[in-house]
Amino acid sequence: MDRFSGQKSAVHYLYPPIDPFDQRMLDVGDGHKVYLEQSGNPNGIPVVVLHGGPGGGCSPTMRRYFDPQYYRIILFDQRGCGRSRPYASVEDNTTWHLVADIERIRTELGIEQWYVFGGSWGATLALVYAETHPDRPLGLILRGVFLGTKTELEWFYGGGAGRFWPETWARFADLIPEGEQNDFIAAYHKRLFGPDLRVQTQYAKAWAEWENALASVQSNGYGGDAPGEYARAFSRLENHYFLNRVFLEEDGQILRDVHLIDHIPGVIIQGRYDMICPPEAAWNLARDWRKGELRMIRNAGHALSEPGISAELVRVMDQIAEIGGLG
């Protein structure tokens, strides 16, 4: 659920830019090929990074949360976004396809166990992956927790967050006729997947702008004008997942199954003023997860690039490298 918003000062906490030592397109089946890269130390501690969205794609900045002397850093673009192909495709693109892709990447790279690092939708995917393959994660490092529940989606797309940002919400909501405003996800879906590319792009930009406008605690209520091609892929994929309640078997499934990861240590880093994924979800997760530690960051919103969040994520990864693990 994020890509563009953030604070430049956050980069002061990150490691210097690095280039990958390995880049490839991996055929994951169903007509999909995903972009995969590795950077850092080929013999280091493996960590896989799960980007947000769905549909956000990974960025070079994501490599910089890890000391490259100690970590083997694995990034990939999930189906349909970033450099993966076919672009903006929702065919054979579900949570369960992505969980299978993560396992395919692990086996392709010959890794037995790894750390799983993800924020927002990436945290959702990390939790579902861990609950499906509980013997594979060495630990979970999560940020801006989203549990994929109806309550969370209604908060963000049903007017809850809009009560704090009425002028920003109006730009998003007023594009939909009053008779369809009982379900904004369905109303946007109708237009994002309609026959007119111009209309698709118009509504894709509005969808992305609403989210990006609320990502940072320093927001002025405007999320910028995302490039049309990126906005279309991001918004179509995100809408597709949210329309289908992120393809979970039932509402609340992640907390229902959290006992499956009780043996896995984890750190949850949450912005106190996260308007996209309110802290209640992170608190509920930490309450029910025996080895999950919640670190609430004051004066921080949702974005990965919030200074306090970036600083804490780097601190956690440095601690893991120093002591050889979590918990």
Side-chain angles (χ1 to χ4, degrees), residues 22-204:
D22 174 37
Q23 293 175 290
R24 65 181 89 172
M25 297 295 291
L26 180 64
D27 189 336
V28 293
D30 309 309
H32 284 273
K33 292 184 178 180
V34 301
Y35 169 79
L36 170 64
E37 67 168 52
Q38 300 185 81
S39 56
N41 182 349
N43 299 311
I45 304 165
V47 55
V48 62
V49 179
L50 306 182
H51 66 68
C58 59
S59 71
T61 303
M62 294 177 182
R63 305 168 193 151
R64 299 176 59 187
Y65 286 80
F66 315 95
D67 187 333
Q69 294 185 76
Y70 292 98
Y71 284 101
R72 179 182 177 183
I73 308 154
I74 300 141
L75 273 62
F76 74 101
D77 290 328
Q78 295 159 27
R79 294 188 183 204
C81 65
R83 286 150 287 189
S84 296
R85 295 294 180 266
Y87 194 63
S89 172
V90 300
E91 297 297 321
D92 295 306
N93 196 336
T94 71
T95 304
W96 305 106
H97 286 102
L98 301 187
V99 167
D101 292 348
I102 297 168
E103 267 298 271
R104 187 182 293 259
I105 289 168
R106 185 190 62 77
T107 57
E108 172 80 9
L109 299 180
I111 295 169
E112 185 67 23
Q113 290 183 299
W114 52 5
Y115 283 95
V116 184
F117 180 106
S120 195
W121 160 250
T124 320
L125 187 56
L127 287 162
V128 176
Y129 170 74
E131 290 177 353
T132 306
H133 300 282
D135 55 333
R136 296 308 176 189
L138 292 165
L140 304 181
I141 302 89
L142 309 177
R143 184 268 314 167
V145 166
F146 171 56
L147 298 177
T149 64
K150 181 180 178 182
T151 298
E152 291 165 294
L153 292 172
E154 286 179 346
W155 159 262
F156 200 64
Y157 296 106
R163 295 173 66 184
F164 288 85
W165 294 91
E167 73 281 22
T168 308
W169 173 250
R171 293 199 300 272
F172 176 82
D174 289 354
L175 286 174
I176 301 300
E178 187 174 345
E180 297 180 62
Q181 290 189 3
N182 62 318
D183 189 339
F184 282 98
I185 294 175
Y188 265 82
H189 185 271
K190 178 180 175 181
R191 292 153 179 88
L192 289 169
F193 290 87
D196 189 328
L197 183 60
R198 181 189 60 82
V199 172
Q200 285 186 26
T201 303
Q202 176 192 0
Y203 282 84

